């Protein structure tokens, strides 16, 4: 069959046909699009060649990264392909227009027709190519201990995949084992048990994430969980122990302390700081000089009688009492209800007038089983026949009572007789200083320097005069009459120290405060810098400080200025307890949060101890005439007393290495002395032929009183030794020792030897006057003998006579020279003595008391009775004036 060509349009009568819309899916990174329905174009001109065939599919939309290709022109099948890689993360869907073109009327495609436009929707399918990534590099969170949290922290991871299946995080997991935490699928972390700050203060937990395609994050994230202690209101930033170096002045106790209120708003804060020193000495660190020395230091009136002195031969009434002297040289007597002492009649103050003072240190506690009994400290009662109490001081049911019955010759009316005080201090088992000033009929009690009036005063008739002697006792009351056998009764149970009576005068409050003053206490650095609105108050002993304020920051700053101070040069080492209590008020409420008390300690370190050294000429050789001369023999003319400090340089193998601490020039330090003892070694001094004198007065064996080392030097240098019959006396040895703080620190024992040259010895030592040294013996040289007596010749009689004459002449000349020298020496010594008397040195601070039988107890003078063959201490002066060397001088 033959076809006849009819022209371009005669054969291609119809347009191709395609679906009106297509939906396709392509997986990212692939190039074939799966279309639904498939891409197929139909042409009614088929099977006419060219006109019925499909030559192309064309896409309209230049942004579409696709192309359509004809797979079979006759059938009209086509395929949609991506021109490059398709990324779902860049674009998930595409929409464009596609048309089918037939081949036209001939090979050239002329006269071709195109189909209608069809819409193609392409969806890009995701591939799980990305791993989850956490939003934060690490997480931090703080929680309070003791709680179970539903949600402590939420972690979050993301995925860059585009599809929900692969871009969503479906699970989180904790990879750290053995932790008290769990995490849910949303990333919320919770604790599975209560956390403890004391057990563990921080946790680090590693967490990983999974997307819904179960792809795991490449890196885990670290979660830091910090455990905070439960907020407890209270003071923070304080140390439980504060070390105090002696001599450093004031030291801050709480330099970094602040009050934590846990967010509470406070309207006022009141804090009390208490320094507890009851275990130190008599209640705190005080000067430990003897009671007599302290009275002089404080300017107390003279004439007081010490009823509880250290036991000695002259004060033997306290020998049977129990002493407790372990507290830094303090002399303390303990009474257990079975001991008492009778005061000798010659010691008892006589004729107490309307003015007198009774003072004592007392430590006393309650005695539950003995509440009805009186406990007598001091009692003056009839010695025999009757049982009248003339005056007494006693404790009854924790009340202090002073009884004073006047004699009929003093008063004949109903007058005050018993004075009662009810105070907590009487039975608190702590040391307190009690002073009773009597200005009859007014009686005033001072306790630790604070005055108290009696709460009860009872009257009584005066005592009728009688010839009955009275007995003064301490620790109980003497019942000498109205009983079968005289005995003690109303025993005291407690401790006493420094019990004195001063007749005729009363003490001023200034002196009383000085006698009981503590040398340690609380202080405030820079009072002027305290914040506004801060109120503070000290008790008299400065052991309690109360501070109050409304502003919390000002209170914190004020508490940081609280300090401890100890003004003693050699304080008592050891622990001092601190107790801090605080109360607060909130706005609109009486009380709110509770602030717990805190306790700390101040550790007073061991002070560097002084080493007192006495130095001087330790041997004197003098002719007997010097000892009989008007000036006698000056024993310690070249005496020097120095003190150096020993401090800790370090510790090596448990041993303390001591080194001098330079606190003054040349390592010397300056401090006081309170007594120096001169001890005669060997045979006692014979009063009828020898004596020690101080400026023409009998020199006592102990110089006592608080004064400087230089003043002690000047006084001791004026001690002279006299001997009116030196030929009958052997050579003498004197030993000198000095003390500070009532025997706490003692010097070396300086021994001085005195050798006496008698007449027979003077002839043998005539050459002393021309010798290089005053006591050097000059022996004739052998050459002189050889020149007078040649060995090769026998001397003639004339020669012998000449030699004898020359020798006699030499003896006469030498004796003359010696006599002249001796006269000059005595005149010189007399002149020196006169000069000494004319020295511009005021010895009025010296109070000399001669008591040849005096025996000092612990830390004091220990003398032996006359006539014994062992050493004897002779008393030289306890002297001291407060800020002045001008004091009364009593000649013994």
């Amino acid at each position: 069959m033959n076809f006849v060509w009819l022209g371009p349009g005669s054969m291609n009568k119809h347009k191709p046909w395609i679906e009106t819309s297509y939906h396709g899916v392509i997986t990212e990174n692939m190039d074939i699009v799966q279309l639904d329905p498939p891409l197929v174009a139909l042409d009614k001109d088929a099977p006419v060649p060219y006109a019925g065939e499909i030559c192309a599919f064309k896409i309209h939309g230049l942004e579409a990264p696709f192309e359509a290709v004809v797979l079979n022109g006759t059938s009209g099948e086509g395929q949609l392909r991506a021109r490059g890689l398709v990324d779902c993360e860049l674009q998930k869907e595409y929409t464009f227009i596609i048309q089918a073109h037939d081949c036209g009327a001939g090979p050239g495609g002329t006269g071709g027709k195109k189909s209608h436009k069809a819409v193609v929707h392409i969806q890009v399918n995701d591939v799980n190519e990305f791993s989850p990534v956490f939003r934060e590099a690490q997480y931090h969170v703080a929680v309070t201990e003791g709680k179970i949290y539903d949600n402590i922290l939420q972690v979050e991871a993301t995925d860059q995949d585009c599809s929900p299946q692969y871009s969503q995080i479906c699970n989180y997991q904790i990879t750290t084992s053995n932790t008290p935490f769990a995490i849910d699928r949303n990333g919320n972390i919770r604790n599975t048990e209560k956390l403890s700050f004391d057990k563990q203060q921080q946790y680090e937990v590693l967490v990983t994430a999974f997307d819904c395609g179960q792809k795991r994050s490449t890196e885990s994230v670290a979660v830091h969980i910090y455990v905070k202690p439960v907020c407890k209101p209270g003071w923070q930033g304080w140390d439980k122990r504060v070390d105090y170096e002696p001599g450093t002045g004031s030291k801050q106790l709480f330099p970094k302390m602040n009050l934590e209120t846990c967010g509470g708003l406070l309207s006022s804060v009141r804090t009390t700081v208490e320094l507890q020193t009851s275990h130190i000495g008599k209640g705190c660190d005080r000067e430990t000089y003897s009671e007599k020395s302290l009275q002089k230091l404080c300017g107390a009136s003279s004439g007081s009688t010490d009823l509880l002195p250290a036991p000695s031969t002259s004060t033997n009434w306290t020998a049977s009492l129990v002493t407790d002297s372990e507290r830094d040289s303090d002399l303390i007597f303990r009474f257990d209800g079975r001991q008492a002492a009778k005061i000798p009649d010659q010691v008892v103050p006589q004729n107490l007038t309307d003015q007198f003072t009774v003072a004592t240190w007392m430590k006393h506690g309650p005695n539950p089983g003995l509440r009805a009994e009186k406990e007598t400290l001091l009692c003056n009662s009839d010695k025999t026949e009757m049982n009248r109490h003339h005056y007494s001081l006693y404790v009854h049911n924790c009340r202090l009572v002073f009884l004073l019955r006047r004699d009929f010759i003093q008063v004949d009316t109903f007058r005050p007789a018993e004075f009662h005080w009810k105070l907590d201090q009487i039975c608190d088992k702590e040391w307190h200083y009690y002073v009773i000033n009597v200005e009859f009929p007014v009686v005033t009690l001072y306790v630790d320097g604070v005055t108290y009036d009696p709460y009860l005063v009872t009257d009584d008739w005066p005592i009728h005069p009688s010839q009955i002697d009275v007995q003064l006792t301490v620790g109980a009351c003497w019942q000498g009459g109205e009983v079968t056998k005289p005995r003690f009764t109303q025993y005291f149970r407690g401790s006493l120290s420094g019990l004195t009576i001063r007749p005729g005068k009363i003490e001023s409050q200034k002196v009383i405060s000085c006698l009981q003053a503590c040398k340690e206490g609380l202080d405030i650095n820079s009072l002027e810098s305290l914040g506004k609105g801060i109120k503070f108050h000290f008790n008299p002993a400065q052991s309690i400080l109360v501070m109050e304020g409304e502003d919390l920051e000002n209170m914190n700053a004020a508490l940081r200025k609280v300090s401890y101070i100890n003004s003693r040069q050699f304080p008592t080492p050891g622990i001092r307890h601190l107790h801090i209590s605080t109360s607060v008020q909130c706005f609109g409420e009486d009380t709110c949060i509770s602030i717990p008390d805190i306790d700390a300690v101040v550790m007073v370190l061991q002070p560097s101890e002084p080493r007192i050294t006495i130095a001087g000429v330790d041997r004197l050789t003098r002719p007997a005439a010097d000892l009989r001369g008007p000036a006698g023999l000056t024993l310690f003319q070249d005496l020097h007393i120095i003190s150096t400090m020993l401090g800790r340089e370090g510790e090596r193998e448990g041993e303390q290495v001591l080194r001098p601490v330079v606190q003054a020039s040349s390592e010397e330090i300056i401090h006081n002395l309170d007594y120096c003892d001169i001890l005669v070694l060997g045979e006692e001094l014979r009063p009828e032929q020898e004596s020690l004198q101080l400026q023409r007065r009998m020199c006592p064996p102990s110089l006592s009183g608080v004064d400087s080392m230089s003043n002690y030097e000047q006084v001791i240098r004026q001690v002279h030794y006299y001997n009116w019959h030196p030929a009958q006396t052997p050579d003498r040895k004197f030993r000198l020792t000095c003390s500070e703080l009532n025997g706490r620190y003692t010097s070396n024992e300086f021994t001085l030897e005195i050798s006496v040259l008698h007449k027979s010895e003077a002839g043998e030592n005539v050459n002393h006057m021309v010798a290089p040294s005053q006591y050097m013996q000059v022996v004739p040289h052998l050459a002189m003998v050889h020149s007078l007596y040649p060995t090769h010749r026998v001397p003639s009689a004339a020669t012998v006579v000449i030699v004898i004459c020359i020798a006699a002449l030499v003896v006469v000349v030498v004796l003359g020279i010696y006599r002249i020298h001796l006269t000059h020496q005595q005149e010189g010594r007399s002149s020196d003595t006169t000069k000494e008397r004319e020295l511009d040195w005021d010895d009025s601070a010296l109070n000399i008391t001669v008591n040849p039988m005096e025996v000092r107890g612990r830390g004091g003078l220990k003398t032996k009775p006359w006539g014994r063959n062992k050493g004897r201490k002779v008393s030289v002066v306890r002297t001291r004036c407060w800020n002045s060397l001008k004091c009364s001088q009593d000649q013994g």
Side-chain angles (χ1 to χ4, degrees):
M1 178 180 298
N2 295 322
F3 292 94
V4 178
W5 172 252
L6 297 178
S10 61
M11 299 296 293
N12 192 7
K13 297 180 179 179
H14 300 92
K15 295 186 292 184
W17 178 89
I18 57 175
E19 299 287 345
T20 58
S21 63
Y22 295 89
H23 294 276
V25 175
I26 184 174
T27 301
E28 62 178 345
N29 301 325
M30 305 293 287
D31 59 351
I32 304 300
V33 179
Q34 303 296 327
L35 286 177
D36 182 27
L39 183 58
V40 176
L42 301 177
D43 196 322
K44 291 182 178 182
D45 290 325
V48 177
Y50 300 106
E53 296 177 357
I54 302 300
C55 281
F57 293 97
K58 295 204 178 165
I59 295 175
H60 301 277
L62 298 177
E63 295 181 358
F66 298 96
E67 62 179 2
V69 296
V70 177
L71 298 180
N72 190 325
T74 302
S75 62
E77 295 180 42
Q79 189 178 56
L80 193 60
R81 298 177 181 175
R83 292 199 300 266
L85 296 179
V86 179
D87 191 346
C88 178
E89 285 70 41
L90 295 179
Q91 190 167 342
K92 298 179 181 180
E93 295 180 349
Y94 295 91
T95 301
F96 52 87
I97 302 298
I98 190 171
Q99 284 183 309
H101 293 256
D102 61 15
C103 295
T110 59
K113 295 183 181 293
K114 53 186 179 181
S115 68
H116 61 273
K117 296 179 180 178
V119 178
V120 180
H121 295 280
I122 304 296
Q123 180 180 345
V124 181
N125 280 348
D126 189 20
V127 173
N128 196 2
E129 57 183 330
F130 292 100
S131 299
V133 176
F134 288 93
R135 290 187 179 275
E136 303 290 341
Q138 54 183 341
Y139 292 86
H140 298 269
V141 67
V143 296
T144 302
E145 65 175 342
K147 294 182 179 180
I148 296 293
Y149 291 85
D150 294 332
N151 182 14
I152 294 176
L153 175 73
Q154 183 180 27
V155 297
E156 184 179 2
T158 60
D159 195 312
Q160 295 182 11
D161 290 312
C162 64
S163 63
Q165 179 181 4
Y166 300 134
S167 64
Q168 292 183 357
I169 307 301
C170 285
N171 194 22
Y172 292 92
Q173 181 178 336
I174 293 176
T175 60
T176 304
S177 58
N178 300 323
T179 59
F181 301 99
I183 191 169
D184 62 17
R185 61 185 302 171
N186 295 320
N188 296 310
I189 298 176
R190 60 183 177 85
N191 58 319
T192 57
E193 63 184 51
K194 292 181 180 180
L195 306 179
S196 171
F197 177 81
D198 296 331
K199 181 179 179 181
Q200 189 166 343
Q201 301 177 13
Q202 179 182 351
Y203 294 86
E204 182 177 312
V205 178
L206 297 179
V207 177
T208 189
F210 296 87
D211 62 20
C212 294
Q214 293 304 305
K215 193 174 186 66
R216 179 175 177 171
S217 59
T218 56
E219 294 183 359
S220 299
V221 70
V223 180
H224 299 275
I225 301 174
Y226 303 96
V227 181
K228 297 189 303 182
V230 174
C231 184
K232 299 175 182 178
W235 292 104
Q236 297 180 352
W238 55 277
D239 295 324
K240 292 185 177 181
R241 167 172 166 162
V242 179
D243 288 342
Y244 180 80
E245 184 74 30
T248 56
S250 179
K251 180 167 184 178
Q252 285 180 272
L253 297 174
F254 319 111
K256 299 180 180 178
M257 192 165 74
N258 67 281
L259 182 60
E260 173 61 58
T261 63
C262 296
L265 298 178
L266 306 181
S267 60
S268 67
V269 180
R270 178 186 175 90
T271 299
T272 301
V273 182
E274 181 180 1
L275 178 68
Q276 298 171 347
T277 60
S278 59
H279 61 291
I280 302 295
K282 293 194 289 284
C284 68
D285 214 359
R286 295 181 170 92
E287 294 294 3
T288 55
Y289 296 116
S290 67
E291 193 68 26
K292 188 174 181 180
S293 295
L294 286 175
Q295 289 175 1
K296 288 185 178 180
L297 283 172
C298 293
S301 303
S302 60
S304 66
T305 300
D306 189 356
L307 301 182
L308 286 176
S312 69
T313 48
S314 59
T315 58
N316 56 6
W317 67 87
T318 59
S320 62
L321 301 179
V322 177
T323 59
D324 181 9
S325 301
E326 298 178 358
R327 297 179 181 270
D328 194 17
S329 304
D330 280 343
L331 182 61
I332 295 171
F333 292 88
R334 289 191 292 109
F335 297 85
D336 59 1
R338 294 175 294 180
Q339 294 139 341
K342 291 182 180 180
I343 311 300
D345 293 341
Q346 66 271 18
V347 177
V348 177
Q350 302 297 323
N351 300 323
L352 293 182
T353 63
D354 287 346
Q355 285 191 342
F356 63 93
T357 299
V358 179
T360 186
W361 286 95
M362 181 177 74
K363 180 181 180 181
H364 179 265
N367 295 299
L370 304 170
R371 290 184 60 85
E373 294 188 15
K374 295 179 180 179
E375 300 179 59
T376 303
L377 287 75
L378 178 70
C379 181
N380 185 269
S381 59
D382 290 331
K383 186 176 292 187
T384 58
E385 300 182 27
M386 302 181 70
N387 188 30
R388 299 174 302 175
H389 295 183
H390 296 258
Y391 62 87
S392 66
L393 179 64
Y394 62 90
V395 175
H396 187 210
N397 290 336
C398 288
R399 291 165 173 79
L400 187 67
V401 182
F402 180 65
L403 169 68
L404 179 62
R405 299 283 302 280
R406 312 297 289 178
D407 292 338
F408 233 116
I409 58 175
Q410 296 174 310
V411 64
D412 58 357
T413 59
F414 210 55
R415 300 301 298 271
E418 276 192 343
F419 303 84
H420 300 249
W421 293 271
K422 183 179 180 181
L423 303 173
D424 294 337
Q425 295 93 318
I426 297 171
C427 284
D428 65 358
K429 297 182 180 180
E430 304 289 348
W431 280 106
H432 299 286
Y433 187 55
Y434 298 82
V435 178
I436 295 177
N437 272 350
V438 178
E439 288 183 291
F440 194 80
V442 177
V443 177
T444 305
L445 172 67
Y446 291 82
V447 181
D448 298 332
V450 180
T451 59
Y452 295 92
D453 293 326
Y455 80 94
L456 175 64
V457 178
T458 59
D459 296 342
D460 203 346
W461 289 104
I463 293 178
H464 291 280
S466 68
Q467 300 301 318
I468 302 174
D469 293 332
V470 294
Q471 176 66 61
L472 182 62
T473 56
V474 174
C477 203
W478 179 252
Q479 188 172 0
E482 302 177 358
V483 291
T484 305
K485 182 179 179 181
R487 59 186 175 86
F488 285 112
T489 186
Q490 300 175 3
Y491 283 97
F492 177 69
R493 292 169 177 83
S495 297
L496 298 176
S497 179
L499 176 58
T500 61
I501 294 182
R502 179 177 287 103
K505 294 181 180 179
I506 62 171
E507 289 297 1
S508 66
Q509 187 165 6
K510 180 179 179 181
V511 171
I512 295 172
S513 298
C514 174
L515 289 172
Q516 61 86 38
C518 289
K519 294 297 182 178
E520 63 179 339
L522 299 173
D523 194 14
I524 298 178
N525 287 341
S526 182
L527 283 172
E528 61 276 5
S529 64
L530 283 181
K532 294 182 179 179
I534 299 297
K535 301 176 183 178
F536 67 92
H537 171 72
F538 284 102
N539 68 333
Q542 285 196 214
S543 60
I544 297 177
L545 168 63
V546 180
M547 304 187 86
E548 187 172 359
E550 298 178 355
D551 184 81
L552 180 59
E553 289 305 316
N554 286 343
M555 276 295 292
N556 286 336
L559 261 295
R560 295 187 192 113
K561 297 179 184 296
V562 177
S563 60
Y564 169 82
I565 188 170
N566 194 318
S567 59
R568 290 191 68 190
Q569 189 173 11
F570 308 110
T572 303
I575 288 177
R576 276 73 164 162
H577 294 278
L578 284 169
H579 183 76
I580 298 93
S581 57
T582 304
S583 61
V584 299
Q585 289 187 340
C586 295
F587 290 98
E589 301 179 24
D590 294 335
T591 59
C592 44
I593 59 176
S594 177
I595 308 298
D597 295 352
I598 62 175
D599 292 287
V601 297
V602 176
M603 175 59 74
V604 178
L605 303 180
Q606 179 74 36
S608 299
E609 298 190 354
R611 181 170 58 188
I612 306 171
T613 303
I614 302 175
V617 176
D618 60 359
R619 184 179 182 87
L620 296 177
T621 303
R622 290 289 189 270
D626 286 9
L627 278 64
R628 293 192 299 265
L633 176 62
T634 305
L635 293 182
F636 306 104
Q637 189 169 4
D638 298 319
L639 180 79
H640 293 282
I641 304 175
I642 62 173
S643 183
T644 54
M645 188 71 79
L646 296 178
R648 294 184 178 179
E649 185 179 43
E651 296 186 1
R652 188 181 303 119
E653 296 181 356
E655 298 182 358
Q656 292 181 356
V657 181
L658 298 180
R659 61 174 174 85
V661 176
V662 180
Q663 294 193 4
S665 60
S666 301
E667 300 182 357
E668 294 184 22
I669 62 167
I670 304 301
H671 60 78
N672 292 327
L673 298 176
D674 58 359
Y675 70 81
C676 287
D677 288 339
I678 302 174
L679 177 68
V680 179
L681 300 179
E683 186 180 349
E684 295 285 343
L685 293 180
R686 302 173 184 178
E688 68 278 2
Q689 68 182 45
E690 57 183 336
S691 70
L692 291 178
Q693 294 187 18
L694 182 62
Q695 290 187 331
R696 293 292 186 180
R697 294 169 295 188
M698 292 296 294
C699 177
S702 179
L703 295 166
S704 61
V706 182
D707 212 324
S708 66
M709 291 185 292
S710 60
N711 282 353
Y712 265 89
E713 279 185 358
Q714 294 182 58
V715 174
I716 295 172
R717 288 172 184 170
Q718 298 188 39
V719 175
H720 296 258
Y721 171 62
Y722 293 86
N723 193 325
W724 297 278
H725 302 287
Q728 304 174 11
T729 307
D731 292 348
R732 282 294 183 189
K733 289 185 178 181
F734 298 93
R735 178 177 294 165
L736 174 66
T737 58
C738 294
S739 159
E740 164 67 336
L741 292 177
N742 207 17
R744 179 176 173 184
Y745 303 115
T746 56
S747 69
N748 62 310
E749 294 181 345
F750 176 75
T751 302
L752 173 65
E753 297 184 21
I754 305 296
S755 297
V756 181
L757 292 177
H758 301 286
K759 286 184 178 180
S760 59
E761 297 172 340
E764 298 173 359
N765 296 276
V766 291
N767 289 326
H768 291 181
M769 300 303 101
V770 293
S773 175
Q774 186 178 358
Y775 305 111
M776 181 184 298
Q777 286 189 338
V778 178
V779 180
H781 197 276
L782 288 177
M784 296 176 61
V785 180
H786 281 266
S787 66
L788 292 175
Y789 304 100
T791 57
H792 61 279
R793 293 179 57 188
V794 178
S796 65
T799 303
V800 172
V801 172
I802 293 172
V803 170
I804 293 174
C805 292
I806 293 173
L809 180 61
V810 170
V811 170
V812 172
V813 171
V814 170
L815 286 176
I817 295 173
Y818 171 73
R819 188 67 176 266
I820 293 171
H821 176 79
L822 183 60
T823 302
H824 282 294
Q825 189 178 33
Q826 290 179 347
E827 291 176 355
R829 286 177 183 152
S830 178
S831 175
D832 290 342
T833 304
T834 304
K835 289 179 181 179
E836 285 183 6
R837 293 171 187 165
E838 293 174 354
L839 282 176
D840 186 17
W841 173 75
D842 183 7
D843 69 339
S844 60
L846 194 59
N847 186 12
I848 306 175
T849 305
V850 179
N851 185 356
M853 298 301 291
E854 184 179 7
V855 178
R856 194 178 312 281
R858 168 180 171 86
L861 177 64
K862 297 181 181 176
T863 62
K864 305 267 195 290
W866 291 101
R868 296 191 182 177
N869 292 327
K870 298 209 174 170
R872 160 159 179 75
K873 283 190 181 174
V874 219
S875 253
V876 186
V877 189
R878 294 206 168 199
T879 172
R880 172 65 176 172
C881 295
W882 190 249
N883 294 332
S884 174
L885 292 178
K886 295 183 179 179
C887 302
S888 63
Q889 187 177 61
D890 300 327
Q891 180 171 343

